[in-house]
Amino acid sequence: MTEEQILVVCDNIAEPENHILQLISKASELAAQNECEVCVICPPNWKYEEYQKLTRYGADEVIAPESGKMQIRSYCDYIAKVIGEKKVLAVLYPATSFGKSVAARLSVRLGAGLTADCVEIGYDEQGKIWVQRTAMNDSVLARIKCINCDISMCTIKADVFQIRKAEGHSGKVIIEGKLTESILPYSIIESIKKNNEDTVDLNQYKKFFCVGRGVKNAETCERIRNIAKKCGACIVGTRAAVEDNIIDKAYQVGQSGKNILPELYVSFGVSGASQHMVGIKGGYTIIAVNSDENARIFDYSDYKIVADVNDIIEQMEKLI
């Protein structure tokens, strides 16, 4: 009997990055719960030690083509061939532009269910895969199961899962086949590069000060920003703070923004809505400042400060 497998598909990158290691770590956790294996499909032309690196995070098999030009169509052909030879339970893709394009094509080709921008994945009582994402304009967290297909596919946002090494784990690397260049059924008349305004890299920070609607204005936000700089922290905000023009969209954290894995997270006037809290999943130490003693943020906090935000800022300015 063919062993069931959870498949992780790598992006068109030059070497493994944290997003992929997060997916492999989660896939390894799921595989351990269901006694199945983890298979990772990679682009060609990586160094061999980079393929081996993935086995240290839980990959039982790492498969990559020997050669070929990396194109979406040819990569999809290769992945579809691998899936056809295995008993695949689920396929995890990074929620990047390239990852989403590959996932969409393979979902249609293989008749598999696909859920985008997931923040959690697990099993139900019958051992069926479910995924979780926000719905209804980010107002609820929906748990979704594919009920009329054999393979469940999902794209997963960066920084929602922890990276964990699989101590003592060993896997094999298989380099075989090649990517066959596809003849495009269209011609490109013109190509225009789109300016990406959301280029802020939050992964370089481990400490974060977060502002919510309770901060009330940009001037107060600037005072918090100055304190954050002195503490070596990055200032981020909730969707409500972005809508009130307190902070730029590029610094929004949450389901409709970015995800962070903070060692320290300090919130000012943040209510604690679930759509925001999924963005700081895995935070080690959470300190919350809010004048409302019943604010939901306190349910997640290690340290709770019931006080006016401006009073706390004033005290911090004196101390720092």
Side-chain angles (χ1 to χ4, degrees):
M1 182 177 177
T2 305
E3 186 84 31
E4 283 188 326
Q5 291 191 327
I6 296 175
L7 198 66
V8 176
V9 174
C10 290
D11 214 336
N12 58 336
I13 48 180
E15 58 185 25
E17 57 183 16
N18 285 349
H19 196 170
I20 293 301
L21 298 182
Q22 291 163 8
L23 267 59
I24 296 172
S25 297
K26 184 62 178 181
S28 177
E29 177 187 319
L30 293 168
Q33 295 173 22
N34 203 34
E35 297 183 353
C36 55
E37 294 185 344
V38 176
C39 174
V40 184
I41 299 182
C42 304
N45 306 320
W46 280 6
K47 294 179 181 179
Y48 189 79
E49 52 265 31
E50 299 293 355
Y51 295 124
Q52 284 186 313
K53 177 180 178 180
L54 304 184
T55 66
R56 298 197 290 272
Y57 293 87
D60 297 291
E61 277 187 345
V62 177
I63 301 176
E66 290 182 86
S67 60
K69 184 178 179 181
M70 189 64 172
Q71 295 178 316
I72 288 180
R73 288 167 62 88
S74 57
Y75 197 37
C76 286
D77 290 342
Y78 186 83
I79 296 167
K81 182 177 181 297
V82 173
I83 291 176
E85 296 169 351
K86 297 181 177 295
K87 188 177 181 181
V88 177
L89 184 64
V91 186
L92 281 56
Y93 304 86
T96 60
S97 177
F98 187 86
K100 289 180 178 181
S101 295
V102 172
R105 285 169 168 80
L106 287 172
S107 173
V108 173
R109 184 184 299 192
L110 302 176
L114 173 62
T115 309
D117 293 330
C118 298
V119 296
E120 187 56 279
I121 179 171
Y123 297 105
D124 65 10
E125 294 79 4
Q126 288 76 42
K128 186 78 173 177
I129 286 280
W130 57 257
V131 294
Q132 193 174 68
R133 60 155 296 156
T134 58
M136 298 177 66
N137 197 29
D138 296 333
S139 62
V140 298
L141 282 170
R143 184 169 290 188
I144 300 167
K145 289 191 293 185
C146 298
I147 59 174
N148 58 354
C149 54
D150 296 326
I151 302 175
S152 177
M153 295 185 174
C154 60
T155 63
I156 297 177
K157 298 184 72 174
D159 300 325
V160 296
F161 300 133
Q162 295 276 5
I163 296 175
R164 294 186 177 89
K165 281 193 174 182
E167 300 296 338
H169 184 83
S170 61
K172 58 185 177 181
V173 177
I174 303 171
I175 310 295
E176 62 181 10
K178 64 178 182 178
L179 298 183
T180 304
E181 188 169 351
S182 299
I183 299 174
L184 298 177
Y186 55 84
S187 60
I188 299 174
I189 299 172
E190 183 181 9
S191 178
I192 301 174
K193 186 175 181 180
K194 179 182 177 182
N195 291 325
N196 186 1
E197 298 175 355
D198 193 11
T199 57
V200 178
D201 180 17
L202 300 182
N203 292 323
Q204 59 182 303
Y205 297 96
K206 295 298 181 183
K207 302 175 185 176
F208 295 88
F209 283 16
C210 183
V211 296
R213 180 163 281 160
V215 169
K216 297 182 180 178
N217 57 64
E219 289 75 21
T220 304
C221 180
E222 191 60 30
R223 292 172 67 191
I224 296 172
R225 189 190 308 277
N226 291 334
I227 297 171
K229 285 181 180 179
K230 293 176 182 179
C231 295
C234 176
I235 188 168
V236 294
T238 64
R239 178 175 177 176
V242 171
E243 290 174 346
D244 288 352
N245 296 316
I246 295 171
I247 195 166
D248 291 338
K249 169 70 176 175
Y251 293 90
Q252 181 183 331
V253 167
Q255 177 56 35
S256 54
K258 296 181 178 179
N259 292 82
I260 56 175
L261 289 170
E263 291 180 359
L264 174 67
Y265 168 91
V266 185
S267 72
F268 298 87
V270 174
S271 65
S274 59
Q275 292 80 15
H276 172 68
M277 298 311 296
V278 295
I280 61 166
K281 192 172 162 184
Y284 291 105
T285 302
I286 298 177
I287 302 171
V289 180
N290 200 302
S291 58
D292 179 5
E293 63 180 10
N294 297 314
R296 282 178 289 175
I297 186 70
F298 290 143
D299 295 335
Y300 303 93
S301 304
D302 300 290
Y303 300 93
K304 310 170 185 180
I305 304 173
V306 181
D308 183 87
V309 167
N310 288 291
D311 292 341
I312 298 301
I313 293 172
E314 186 177 342
Q315 293 298 317
M316 293 180 74
E317 288 172 334
K318 291 177 181 178
L319 291 170
I320 299 175

